Structures are given as structure tokens and as C-alpha cells.
Amino acid sequence: MQQLSSGEIVKRYRSFFVARNHLALPGSSLVVPGNSTSFIIAGMQPLLPYLRGEVAPLAPRLTALQRCLRTDDVEQVGTSIRQNTAFFMLGNWSIGNYDKRTTIQMALDLLLNHLGLPLEKLWMTVFEGDRELGLSLDDVAAEEWRRLGVPSEHVVPLGAEDNFWTMGGGPGPCGPCSEIFVDRGSELGCGAPDCRPGCSCARFLEVWNLVFMEFEKHEDGSLTSLPQRNIDTGMGLERMACVLQSSDSVYSVDLFQPALERLQALAPRDDGSPQALRARRMIVDHVRAVLLAGLAGVGPGRDGRSSVVRRLIRRAACQGRLLGIDQPFLGSLLQPLVEGHGSLLTQDEQKRVPDLERLVTNDEVMFARVLSSGLRELERVEPNERGIIAGEYLFKLHAEKGFPADLASEILQERGLVVDWSGYQHASADHRIVSRVSVQKHFH
Ligand code: GLY
């Protein structure tokens, strides 16, 4: 298999679809005012008005490289080999223009003949149908993959959980999908006899999702047909790069290499433990998310989107301590990330990075004091005889010292300790009552 840089993958994807009459869009900002999510979470989201038939697109065939950021799987970052907080999504879309078979034909052509993937390494999933949704097996997709030469045993039907795509699980345009997986080799697998796409081990990596977007999902879960049958695809750039660079994970592809080297220089000792590996991965992942959010105008802060960025900075800072780095360092990873991303960031964006570096460093310095005293506290805390930490203790740590409870819980989890969250809720509710009373006293 040939080795391709991330920039080259983007170039080949884009020129493949432009040559097939797709209009190349620049990709939207990570933040779209009025959007239902804090950040763009899927490549199709900026195209919602077109997919819903509310606005006519400039062309019925579109392609783009879209930045996305989502934190719902943030706990898996660094442990799983495939989960980025922020990521680049390549996509091609048809607004009522081409069908499922054409989508599948183009996808296989790109993978085999332009990205150089061998057919025998590819596995496809198709929607097996769902009684509750009133939908049957997608035999058109299955039949088309087989007709194009994919062996039958590499075409795997899966249920709605895997193969009915919805936007973050919520309302919006949706539909059955067919996911493309690359077999990275049995030596990376769990060894289970039924290990195949859908298994959580590291062997099969999903690289591209083809969504046959025909429905709108409503708040009550019901489906209605969209005015036209659309195609919505999403290829995770970091995942494709992982395959085409033979990397062990999405965190070690070319985009992250200069930042990993800088981190190595800052923390040269490596005990080879899973915790240290996870820490390095989390740091580069989170700082890259902070970089992309910052370039979209969202710096660290207390509320809304800004609080997401602050939280990422704090999680990454904690991991730095774990690697023995005891001075602020996150800001210094931004330039190496810029270097790794090359032309994926515009010249104008690159010029704004020094300002962002100051912002990130200031936030890290502010957190350093809270972190030092909080971590000392956490080292001393003792669980009860069942290995449980009192929720009230964590609440106090948060209320009095500003140490985030979920962060504390993660650190305790690494020691095998569990938090009594109902105790935490009680303490928090009591605190709210006391605060209300004292506020009333103050103002009346
Ligand atoms: N909209 C396709 C995907 O995000 O997988």
C-alpha cells in the first residue's frame, strides 16, 4: 500500500469528486451562530438547509473538507485508537441528484484506484433493517458491493444502532448507511472468532460512512420523508491517514508528528505504561481541538462553548503532570501543530496562532495553582471500605478549590476508585439552597 500524507489524501479526494461534477465548497467555520450544537459535529451540518430542501444549493453535487468538534466521546480519547475530539471530515453530497449505486461505485473507485487500498482489506456494513423503524434490509447496497467484486463475507448487515445514521443521535435528516472499514490485520485484533466490523477492538477501522439520507427524524423519534433523496458521506481524514500511513492510531498521523516530537522533548522519560501513552495522545488531541476552536474565535472561558475549550485545556494540563511536566506547556504545542497541519490551515489562521498561544498559556497558568493543590488533595483521599469516594468530598473540592468534579472523578478512576454521585448531587442541592437563602438575606 502506498503511503499518503494527509494533504495528499485531501487533494485526491477533492479532485476525484470535482472531476465528477461536484462543486468544492470551502468548508464552514466550526461555529455557526444559531446552530443546535455548540460546534459543528458532522460534515453535513452546514448543508442542512439544502438537505432539507429549504434552500437550493449552488450545485446539486457538493464536496468539502469540514472541521468538526464533539466531546461526547471525550473519555475514549487516547484509550481507543480512533477517537479525535476535533477532526477533519471529507465529504461528498448529492442533493437529490445521484443514487445509492452511483455513490457506492464512486466510493470504491476512489478507494481502490486513487487512494491505493487493496480490495481484500475492505469490509462494508449495510443496514439490516429495523422493525421499529418499519424499514427492511438494504439489499440494494449489499447487492451493489457484491456486484463490484466485494466478497459476500465482507458485506456485513448491522442493525439501526450501527447503520442508521442520525445527527448526533438527535433530530434532523437521517437514513440508512453503509460504512466502509479497513482490516488493519489480525495481529491487531481481539482474536474472537466473530471479530468483524462493529467489534470494538483495533483491527477494523471505519474510514468512510455513506449515508442514504431519505428521512427527517423528529423530536418524538418519528420519521418523515425528505423532499428529495440525498447522499451524505463522511470520511474521517485522520482515520484514512492512519491507514495510509500505517500509524498505530489517529493520534500519530503526520498532522500530530511535530507536536508529539515537541512533547517528547518536554517529557523525555517514558515508562511505556498505557497511562503515559494515553496522556500523550490526549494532550495532542485536546490541544489540536483548542487550536481549531480558537481559530473559530472561541477561546477558553466560563460559559457555553468557551467552557468546552477551558475543559479541554484543563484535561490536557492534568495529563502533562502525569508525564512529569510541571510548567505551562500547552501553548508551546500550537506552532508544531500548525506545522503538522500545513496547508489545512490558511495563512491568515497561521498568523493568528501567537495570540492564541498567549490565551492558552494564561489559562493554563491560572489553572496550575488549582491543579497543584487539587492533585495533592486527591492523592491523600481515602475511599470507604467498598472503594467509594464520598460525593460530598468531591463537591467541596469543586466549590471551595475550583477543581472540576468530573476531572477529579477521572483521576480517581485511574486509581480504581468510584465516586458516589448521588452524594455529590445531594451536596450540590444543599449548597444551592444555602446560596439562595444567603442571596435572599443579602438583597432583602
Ligand atoms: N454524515 C456522515 C457521517 O458523519 O458519518
Side-chain angles (χ1 to χ4, degrees), residues 331-365:
S332 74
L333 298 178
L334 292 174
Q335 272 310 340
L337 281 167
V338 169
E339 194 190 317
H341 283 65
S343 61
L344 295 188
L345 304 180
T346 65
Q347 297 274 323
D348 176 55
E349 286 178 327
Q350 299 187 15
K351 284 198 203 116
R352 283 161 46 212
V353 172
D355 286 342
L356 190 57
E357 190 171 327
R358 277 188 286 280
L359 215 58
V360 171
T361 304
N362 286 347
D363 213 57
E364 199 186 353
V365 169

PDB file of all heavy atoms in Angstrom, residues 331-365:
ATOM      1  N   GLY A 331       0.535  25.802  25.311  1.00  0.00           N
ATOM      2  CA  GLY A 331       0.648  26.833  24.269  1.00  0.00           C
ATOM      3  C   GLY A 331       1.800  26.534  23.318  1.00  0.00           C
ATOM      4  O   GLY A 331       1.716  26.799  22.111  1.00  0.00           O
ATOM      5  N   SER A 332       2.868  25.931  23.855  1.00  0.00           N
ATOM      6  CA  SER A 332       4.051  25.688  23.017  1.00  0.00           C
ATOM      7  C   SER A 332       3.832  24.554  22.019  1.00  0.00           C
ATOM      8  O   SER A 332       4.693  24.285  21.184  1.00  0.00           O
ATOM      9  CB  SER A 332       5.271  25.393  23.890  1.00  0.00           C
ATOM     10  OG  SER A 332       5.162  24.085  24.417  1.00  0.00           O
ATOM     11  N   LEU A 333       2.702  23.864  22.120  1.00  0.00           N
ATOM     12  CA  LEU A 333       2.420  22.799  21.144  1.00  0.00           C
ATOM     13  C   LEU A 333       1.653  23.327  19.926  1.00  0.00           C
ATOM     14  O   LEU A 333       1.476  22.613  18.934  1.00  0.00           O
ATOM     15  CB  LEU A 333       1.597  21.686  21.806  1.00  0.00           C
ATOM     16  CG  LEU A 333       2.266  20.965  22.971  1.00  0.00           C
ATOM     17  CD1 LEU A 333       1.320  19.920  23.554  1.00  0.00           C
ATOM     18  CD2 LEU A 333       3.559  20.283  22.524  1.00  0.00           C
ATOM     19  N   LEU A 334       1.199  24.593  20.033  1.00  0.00           N
ATOM     20  CA  LEU A 334       0.364  25.106  18.935  1.00  0.00           C
ATOM     21  C   LEU A 334       1.152  25.265  17.634  1.00  0.00           C
ATOM     22  O   LEU A 334       0.694  24.851  16.572  1.00  0.00           O
ATOM     23  CB  LEU A 334      -0.293  26.438  19.334  1.00  0.00           C
ATOM     24  CG  LEU A 334      -1.344  26.323  20.446  1.00  0.00           C
ATOM     25  CD1 LEU A 334      -1.821  27.709  20.877  1.00  0.00           C
ATOM     26  CD2 LEU A 334      -2.548  25.506  19.980  1.00  0.00           C
ATOM     27  N   GLN A 335       2.353  25.861  17.730  1.00  0.00           N
ATOM     28  CA  GLN A 335       3.136  26.038  16.488  1.00  0.00           C
ATOM     29  C   GLN A 335       3.472  24.694  15.846  1.00  0.00           C
ATOM     30  O   GLN A 335       3.304  24.541  14.638  1.00  0.00           O
ATOM     31  CB  GLN A 335       4.422  26.832  16.748  1.00  0.00           C
ATOM     32  CG  GLN A 335       4.313  28.342  16.645  1.00  0.00           C
ATOM     33  CD  GLN A 335       3.638  28.877  15.377  1.00  0.00           C
ATOM     34  OE1 GLN A 335       3.534  28.208  14.349  1.00  0.00           O
ATOM     35  NE2 GLN A 335       3.148  30.095  15.446  1.00  0.00           N
ATOM     36  N   PRO A 336       3.938  23.705  16.611  1.00  0.00           N
ATOM     37  CA  PRO A 336       4.171  22.393  15.989  1.00  0.00           C
ATOM     38  C   PRO A 336       2.911  21.807  15.342  1.00  0.00           C
ATOM     39  O   PRO A 336       2.991  21.149  14.311  1.00  0.00           O
ATOM     40  CB  PRO A 336       4.643  21.523  17.158  1.00  0.00           C
ATOM     41  CG  PRO A 336       5.196  22.490  18.149  1.00  0.00           C
ATOM     42  CD  PRO A 336       4.417  23.753  18.000  1.00  0.00           C
ATOM     43  N   LEU A 337       1.747  22.075  15.944  1.00  0.00           N
ATOM     44  CA  LEU A 337       0.512  21.580  15.314  1.00  0.00           C
ATOM     45  C   LEU A 337       0.266  22.298  13.985  1.00  0.00           C
ATOM     46  O   LEU A 337      -0.143  21.682  13.000  1.00  0.00           O
ATOM     47  CB  LEU A 337      -0.686  21.773  16.255  1.00  0.00           C
ATOM     48  CG  LEU A 337      -0.805  20.726  17.359  1.00  0.00           C
ATOM     49  CD1 LEU A 337      -1.798  21.162  18.428  1.00  0.00           C
ATOM     50  CD2 LEU A 337      -1.229  19.367  16.787  1.00  0.00           C
ATOM     51  N   VAL A 338       0.546  23.594  13.981  1.00  0.00           N
ATOM     52  CA  VAL A 338       0.394  24.361  12.739  1.00  0.00           C
ATOM     53  C   VAL A 338       1.305  23.763  11.670  1.00  0.00           C
ATOM     54  O   VAL A 338       0.901  23.548  10.532  1.00  0.00           O
ATOM     55  CB  VAL A 338       0.729  25.854  12.985  1.00  0.00           C
ATOM     56  CG1 VAL A 338       0.834  26.616  11.679  1.00  0.00           C
ATOM     57  CG2 VAL A 338      -0.323  26.479  13.890  1.00  0.00           C
ATOM     58  N   GLU A 339       2.518  23.466  12.081  1.00  0.00           N
ATOM     59  CA  GLU A 339       3.486  22.865  11.146  1.00  0.00           C
ATOM     60  C   GLU A 339       2.948  21.525  10.601  1.00  0.00           C
ATOM     61  O   GLU A 339       2.980  21.275   9.401  1.00  0.00           O
ATOM     62  CB  GLU A 339       4.793  22.634  11.915  1.00  0.00           C
ATOM     63  CG  GLU A 339       5.997  22.348  11.071  1.00  0.00           C
ATOM     64  CD  GLU A 339       7.142  21.903  11.971  1.00  0.00           C
ATOM     65  OE1 GLU A 339       7.346  22.529  13.050  1.00  0.00           O
ATOM     66  OE2 GLU A 339       7.793  20.919  11.642  1.00  0.00           O
ATOM     67  N   GLY A 340       2.416  20.714  11.472  1.00  0.00           N
ATOM     68  CA  GLY A 340       1.897  19.400  11.045  1.00  0.00           C
ATOM     69  C   GLY A 340       0.703  19.515  10.114  1.00  0.00           C
ATOM     70  O   GLY A 340       0.502  18.672   9.248  1.00  0.00           O
ATOM     71  N   HIS A 341      -0.084  20.563  10.302  1.00  0.00           N
ATOM     72  CA  HIS A 341      -1.306  20.700   9.506  1.00  0.00           C
ATOM     73  C   HIS A 341      -1.067  21.387   8.165  1.00  0.00           C
ATOM     74  O   HIS A 341      -1.927  21.306   7.277  1.00  0.00           O
ATOM     75  CB  HIS A 341      -2.380  21.436  10.307  1.00  0.00           C
ATOM     76  CG  HIS A 341      -3.038  20.552  11.330  1.00  0.00           C
ATOM     77  ND1 HIS A 341      -2.353  20.036  12.404  1.00  0.00           N
ATOM     78  CD2 HIS A 341      -4.285  20.046  11.404  1.00  0.00           C
ATOM     79  CE1 HIS A 341      -3.173  19.272  13.109  1.00  0.00           C
ATOM     80  NE2 HIS A 341      -4.346  19.257  12.524  1.00  0.00           N
ATOM     81  N   GLY A 342       0.084  22.064   8.025  1.00  0.00           N
ATOM     82  CA  GLY A 342       0.452  22.673   6.735  1.00  0.00           C
ATOM     83  C   GLY A 342      -0.694  23.438   6.103  1.00  0.00           C
ATOM     84  O   GLY A 342      -1.332  24.275   6.739  1.00  0.00           O
ATOM     85  N   SER A 343      -0.999  23.074   4.856  1.00  0.00           N
ATOM     86  CA  SER A 343      -1.972  23.858   4.091  1.00  0.00           C
ATOM     87  C   SER A 343      -3.422  23.612   4.528  1.00  0.00           C
ATOM     88  O   SER A 343      -4.348  24.216   3.983  1.00  0.00           O
ATOM     89  CB  SER A 343      -1.831  23.558   2.606  1.00  0.00           C
ATOM     90  OG  SER A 343      -2.099  22.181   2.406  1.00  0.00           O
ATOM     91  N   LEU A 344      -3.644  22.744   5.512  1.00  0.00           N
ATOM     92  CA  LEU A 344      -5.020  22.593   6.010  1.00  0.00           C
ATOM     93  C   LEU A 344      -5.437  23.832   6.801  1.00  0.00           C
ATOM     94  O   LEU A 344      -6.621  24.047   7.063  1.00  0.00           O
ATOM     95  CB  LEU A 344      -5.163  21.359   6.901  1.00  0.00           C
ATOM     96  CG  LEU A 344      -4.957  20.004   6.230  1.00  0.00           C
ATOM     97  CD1 LEU A 344      -5.316  18.877   7.176  1.00  0.00           C
ATOM     98  CD2 LEU A 344      -5.785  19.891   4.962  1.00  0.00           C
ATOM     99  N   LEU A 345      -4.452  24.633   7.229  1.00  0.00           N
ATOM    100  CA  LEU A 345      -4.760  25.910   7.892  1.00  0.00           C
ATOM    101  C   LEU A 345      -4.373  27.035   6.931  1.00  0.00           C
ATOM    102  O   LEU A 345      -3.336  26.957   6.275  1.00  0.00           O
ATOM    103  CB  LEU A 345      -3.964  26.058   9.191  1.00  0.00           C
ATOM    104  CG  LEU A 345      -4.124  24.936  10.219  1.00  0.00           C
ATOM    105  CD1 LEU A 345      -3.277  25.232  11.451  1.00  0.00           C
ATOM    106  CD2 LEU A 345      -5.583  24.752  10.627  1.00  0.00           C
ATOM    107  N   THR A 346      -5.204  28.065   6.870  1.00  0.00           N
ATOM    108  CA  THR A 346      -4.912  29.161   5.941  1.00  0.00           C
ATOM    109  C   THR A 346      -3.759  30.008   6.492  1.00  0.00           C
ATOM    110  O   THR A 346      -3.453  29.972   7.697  1.00  0.00           O
ATOM    111  CB  THR A 346      -6.139  30.072   5.741  1.00  0.00           C
ATOM    112  OG1 THR A 346      -6.415  30.708   7.002  1.00  0.00           O
ATOM    113  CG2 THR A 346      -7.354  29.282   5.280  1.00  0.00           C
ATOM    114  N   GLN A 347      -3.154  30.809   5.615  1.00  0.00           N
ATOM    115  CA  GLN A 347      -2.066  31.721   6.020  1.00  0.00           C
ATOM    116  C   GLN A 347      -2.565  32.661   7.112  1.00  0.00           C
ATOM    117  O   GLN A 347      -1.863  32.913   8.091  1.00  0.00           O
ATOM    118  CB  GLN A 347      -1.636  32.573   4.818  1.00  0.00           C
ATOM    119  CG  GLN A 347      -1.065  31.766   3.669  1.00  0.00           C
ATOM    120  CD  GLN A 347       0.421  31.527   3.851  1.00  0.00           C
ATOM    121  OE1 GLN A 347       1.120  32.393   4.330  1.00  0.00           O
ATOM    122  NE2 GLN A 347       0.888  30.353   3.485  1.00  0.00           N
ATOM    123  N   ASP A 348      -3.784  33.157   6.919  1.00  0.00           N
ATOM    124  CA  ASP A 348      -4.350  34.095   7.886  1.00  0.00           C
ATOM    125  C   ASP A 348      -4.487  33.416   9.263  1.00  0.00           C
ATOM    126  O   ASP A 348      -4.162  34.003  10.298  1.00  0.00           O
ATOM    127  CB  ASP A 348      -5.717  34.574   7.369  1.00  0.00           C
ATOM    128  CG  ASP A 348      -6.398  35.461   8.378  1.00  0.00           C
ATOM    129  OD1 ASP A 348      -5.764  36.453   8.778  1.00  0.00           O
ATOM    130  OD2 ASP A 348      -7.543  35.139   8.793  1.00  0.00           O
ATOM    131  N   GLU A 349      -4.924  32.171   9.252  1.00  0.00           N
ATOM    132  CA  GLU A 349      -5.064  31.436  10.524  1.00  0.00           C
ATOM    133  C   GLU A 349      -3.694  31.256  11.182  1.00  0.00           C
ATOM    134  O   GLU A 349      -3.553  31.411  12.397  1.00  0.00           O
ATOM    135  CB  GLU A 349      -5.720  30.077  10.266  1.00  0.00           C
ATOM    136  CG  GLU A 349      -7.198  30.178   9.978  1.00  0.00           C
ATOM    137  CD  GLU A 349      -7.839  28.832   9.681  1.00  0.00           C
ATOM    138  OE1 GLU A 349      -7.176  27.947   9.091  1.00  0.00           O
ATOM    139  OE2 GLU A 349      -9.014  28.661  10.029  1.00  0.00           O
ATOM    140  N   GLN A 350      -2.704  30.937  10.363  1.00  0.00           N
ATOM    141  CA  GLN A 350      -1.367  30.705  10.918  1.00  0.00           C
ATOM    142  C   GLN A 350      -0.842  31.960  11.618  1.00  0.00           C
ATOM    143  O   GLN A 350      -0.193  31.870  12.651  1.00  0.00           O
ATOM    144  CB  GLN A 350      -0.427  30.242   9.813  1.00  0.00           C
ATOM    145  CG  GLN A 350      -0.911  28.926   9.204  1.00  0.00           C
ATOM    146  CD  GLN A 350       0.062  28.318   8.215  1.00  0.00           C
ATOM    147  OE1 GLN A 350       1.211  28.686   8.156  1.00  0.00           O
ATOM    148  NE2 GLN A 350      -0.419  27.366   7.435  1.00  0.00           N
ATOM    149  N   LYS A 351      -1.202  33.125  11.068  1.00  0.00           N
ATOM    150  CA  LYS A 351      -0.730  34.388  11.662  1.00  0.00           C
ATOM    151  C   LYS A 351      -1.371  34.643  13.021  1.00  0.00           C
ATOM    152  O   LYS A 351      -0.836  35.369  13.847  1.00  0.00           O
ATOM    153  CB  LYS A 351      -1.070  35.558  10.725  1.00  0.00           C
ATOM    154  CG  LYS A 351      -0.164  35.643   9.524  1.00  0.00           C
ATOM    155  CD  LYS A 351      -0.258  37.031   8.906  1.00  0.00           C
ATOM    156  CE  LYS A 351       0.166  36.981   7.457  1.00  0.00           C
ATOM    157  NZ  LYS A 351      -0.890  37.305   6.507  1.00  0.00           N
ATOM    158  N   ARG A 352      -2.551  34.075  13.236  1.00  0.00           N
ATOM    159  CA  ARG A 352      -3.274  34.345  14.493  1.00  0.00           C
ATOM    160  C   ARG A 352      -2.839  33.442  15.645  1.00  0.00           C
ATOM    161  O   ARG A 352      -3.274  33.613  16.783  1.00  0.00           O
ATOM    162  CB  ARG A 352      -4.777  34.211  14.239  1.00  0.00           C
ATOM    163  CG  ARG A 352      -5.306  35.452  13.505  1.00  0.00           C
ATOM    164  CD  ARG A 352      -6.636  35.202  12.831  1.00  0.00           C
ATOM    165  NE  ARG A 352      -7.560  34.512  13.685  1.00  0.00           N
ATOM    166  CZ  ARG A 352      -8.489  33.656  13.252  1.00  0.00           C
ATOM    167  NH1 ARG A 352      -8.582  33.388  11.976  1.00  0.00           N
ATOM    168  NH2 ARG A 352      -9.300  33.070  14.090  1.00  0.00           N
ATOM    169  N   VAL A 353      -1.979  32.471  15.338  1.00  0.00           N
ATOM    170  CA  VAL A 353      -1.628  31.479  16.363  1.00  0.00           C
ATOM    171  C   VAL A 353      -0.855  32.067  17.560  1.00  0.00           C
ATOM    172  O   VAL A 353      -1.132  31.686  18.706  1.00  0.00           O
ATOM    173  CB  VAL A 353      -0.916  30.267  15.713  1.00  0.00           C
ATOM    174  CG1 VAL A 353      -0.363  29.325  16.754  1.00  0.00           C
ATOM    175  CG2 VAL A 353      -1.914  29.536  14.821  1.00  0.00           C
ATOM    176  N   PRO A 354       0.097  33.031  17.363  1.00  0.00           N
ATOM    177  CA  PRO A 354       0.784  33.582  18.543  1.00  0.00           C
ATOM    178  C   PRO A 354      -0.184  34.191  19.573  1.00  0.00           C
ATOM    179  O   PRO A 354       0.010  34.024  20.779  1.00  0.00           O
ATOM    180  CB  PRO A 354       1.712  34.645  17.940  1.00  0.00           C
ATOM    181  CG  PRO A 354       1.960  34.163  16.540  1.00  0.00           C
ATOM    182  CD  PRO A 354       0.686  33.509  16.102  1.00  0.00           C
ATOM    183  N   ASP A 355      -1.242  34.866  19.107  1.00  0.00           N
ATOM    184  CA  ASP A 355      -2.234  35.427  20.047  1.00  0.00           C
ATOM    185  C   ASP A 355      -2.932  34.310  20.820  1.00  0.00           C
ATOM    186  O   ASP A 355      -3.160  34.399  22.025  1.00  0.00           O
ATOM    187  CB  ASP A 355      -3.308  36.227  19.289  1.00  0.00           C
ATOM    188  CG  ASP A 355      -2.767  37.551  18.807  1.00  0.00           C
ATOM    189  OD1 ASP A 355      -1.714  37.982  19.345  1.00  0.00           O
ATOM    190  OD2 ASP A 355      -3.369  38.133  17.883  1.00  0.00           O
ATOM    191  N   LEU A 356      -3.251  33.267  20.090  1.00  0.00           N
ATOM    192  CA  LEU A 356      -3.935  32.134  20.713  1.00  0.00           C
ATOM    193  C   LEU A 356      -3.019  31.472  21.746  1.00  0.00           C
ATOM    194  O   LEU A 356      -3.459  31.042  22.819  1.00  0.00           O
ATOM    195  CB  LEU A 356      -4.324  31.146  19.604  1.00  0.00           C
ATOM    196  CG  LEU A 356      -5.243  30.015  19.991  1.00  0.00           C
ATOM    197  CD1 LEU A 356      -6.531  30.538  20.588  1.00  0.00           C
ATOM    198  CD2 LEU A 356      -5.560  29.156  18.752  1.00  0.00           C
ATOM    199  N   GLU A 357      -1.744  31.412  21.416  1.00  0.00           N
ATOM    200  CA  GLU A 357      -0.767  30.801  22.324  1.00  0.00           C
ATOM    201  C   GLU A 357      -0.772  31.533  23.669  1.00  0.00           C
ATOM    202  O   GLU A 357      -0.770  30.899  24.728  1.00  0.00           O
ATOM    203  CB  GLU A 357       0.613  30.860  21.670  1.00  0.00           C
ATOM    204  CG  GLU A 357       1.640  30.053  22.403  1.00  0.00           C
ATOM    205  CD  GLU A 357       2.952  29.945  21.623  1.00  0.00           C
ATOM    206  OE1 GLU A 357       2.928  29.920  20.380  1.00  0.00           O
ATOM    207  OE2 GLU A 357       4.001  29.894  22.283  1.00  0.00           O
ATOM    208  N   ARG A 358      -0.821  32.868  23.614  1.00  0.00           N
ATOM    209  CA  ARG A 358      -0.843  33.656  24.873  1.00  0.00           C
ATOM    210  C   ARG A 358      -2.102  33.332  25.669  1.00  0.00           C
ATOM    211  O   ARG A 358      -2.063  33.145  26.882  1.00  0.00           O
ATOM    212  CB  ARG A 358      -0.777  35.154  24.559  1.00  0.00           C
ATOM    213  CG  ARG A 358       0.648  35.642  24.334  1.00  0.00           C
ATOM    214  CD  ARG A 358       0.695  37.158  24.231  1.00  0.00           C
ATOM    215  NE  ARG A 358       0.175  37.644  22.969  1.00  0.00           N
ATOM    216  CZ  ARG A 358       0.870  37.650  21.819  1.00  0.00           C
ATOM    217  NH1 ARG A 358       2.103  37.204  21.796  1.00  0.00           N
ATOM    218  NH2 ARG A 358       0.332  38.089  20.711  1.00  0.00           N
ATOM    219  N   LEU A 359      -3.225  33.237  24.967  1.00  0.00           N
ATOM    220  CA  LEU A 359      -4.512  32.975  25.620  1.00  0.00           C
ATOM    221  C   LEU A 359      -4.497  31.614  26.327  1.00  0.00           C
ATOM    222  O   LEU A 359      -4.932  31.467  27.477  1.00  0.00           O
ATOM    223  CB  LEU A 359      -5.579  32.973  24.518  1.00  0.00           C
ATOM    224  CG  LEU A 359      -6.952  33.512  24.795  1.00  0.00           C
ATOM    225  CD1 LEU A 359      -6.871  34.961  25.241  1.00  0.00           C
ATOM    226  CD2 LEU A 359      -7.815  33.415  23.519  1.00  0.00           C
ATOM    227  N   VAL A 360      -3.986  30.629  25.623  1.00  0.00           N
ATOM    228  CA  VAL A 360      -3.954  29.262  26.172  1.00  0.00           C
ATOM    229  C   VAL A 360      -3.006  29.213  27.372  1.00  0.00           C
ATOM    230  O   VAL A 360      -3.331  28.642  28.427  1.00  0.00           O
ATOM    231  CB  VAL A 360      -3.509  28.247  25.083  1.00  0.00           C
ATOM    232  CG1 VAL A 360      -3.248  26.878  25.673  1.00  0.00           C
ATOM    233  CG2 VAL A 360      -4.561  28.165  23.982  1.00  0.00           C
ATOM    234  N   THR A 361      -1.842  29.857  27.228  1.00  0.00           N
ATOM    235  CA  THR A 361      -0.866  29.825  28.326  1.00  0.00           C
ATOM    236  C   THR A 361      -1.427  30.517  29.565  1.00  0.00           C
ATOM    237  O   THR A 361      -1.293  30.014  30.684  1.00  0.00           O
ATOM    238  CB  THR A 361       0.467  30.473  27.872  1.00  0.00           C
ATOM    239  OG1 THR A 361       0.895  29.781  26.698  1.00  0.00           O
ATOM    240  CG2 THR A 361       1.532  30.366  28.938  1.00  0.00           C
ATOM    241  N   ASN A 362      -2.090  31.666  29.367  1.00  0.00           N
ATOM    242  CA  ASN A 362      -2.691  32.361  30.524  1.00  0.00           C
ATOM    243  C   ASN A 362      -3.676  31.467  31.251  1.00  0.00           C
ATOM    244  O   ASN A 362      -3.706  31.403  32.479  1.00  0.00           O
ATOM    245  CB  ASN A 362      -3.447  33.623  30.075  1.00  0.00           C
ATOM    246  CG  ASN A 362      -2.490  34.727  29.707  1.00  0.00           C
ATOM    247  OD1 ASN A 362      -1.292  34.631  30.012  1.00  0.00           O
ATOM    248  ND2 ASN A 362      -2.986  35.749  29.036  1.00  0.00           N
ATOM    249  N   ASP A 363      -4.494  30.763  30.478  1.00  0.00           N
ATOM    250  CA  ASP A 363      -5.498  29.909  31.107  1.00  0.00           C
ATOM    251  C   ASP A 363      -4.840  28.751  31.849  1.00  0.00           C
ATOM    252  O   ASP A 363      -5.281  28.353  32.931  1.00  0.00           O
ATOM    253  CB  ASP A 363      -6.462  29.368  30.044  1.00  0.00           C
ATOM    254  CG  ASP A 363      -7.854  29.204  30.607  1.00  0.00           C
ATOM    255  OD1 ASP A 363      -8.402  30.209  31.104  1.00  0.00           O
ATOM    256  OD2 ASP A 363      -8.378  28.075  30.584  1.00  0.00           O
ATOM    257  N   GLU A 364      -3.779  28.242  31.275  1.00  0.00           N
ATOM    258  CA  GLU A 364      -3.075  27.117  31.893  1.00  0.00           C
ATOM    259  C   GLU A 364      -2.407  27.559  33.202  1.00  0.00           C
ATOM    260  O   GLU A 364      -2.445  26.839  34.204  1.00  0.00           O
ATOM    261  CB  GLU A 364      -2.042  26.574  30.913  1.00  0.00           C
ATOM    262  CG  GLU A 364      -1.599  25.182  31.251  1.00  0.00           C
ATOM    263  CD  GLU A 364      -0.469  24.705  30.364  1.00  0.00           C
ATOM    264  OE1 GLU A 364      -0.118  25.409  29.395  1.00  0.00           O
ATOM    265  OE2 GLU A 364       0.081  23.640  30.653  1.00  0.00           O
ATOM    266  N   VAL A 365      -1.826  28.768  33.169  1.00  0.00           N
ATOM    267  CA  VAL A 365      -1.166  29.282  34.384  1.00  0.00           C
ATOM    268  C   VAL A 365      -2.195  29.429  35.505  1.00  0.00           C
ATOM    269  O   VAL A 365      -1.960  29.043  36.653  1.00  0.00           O
ATOM    270  CB  VAL A 365      -0.476  30.650  34.090  1.00  0.00           C
ATOM    271  CG1 VAL A 365      -0.030  31.329  35.371  1.00  0.00           C
ATOM    272  CG2 VAL A 365       0.693  30.450  33.138  1.00  0.00           C
TER     273      VAL A 365
END
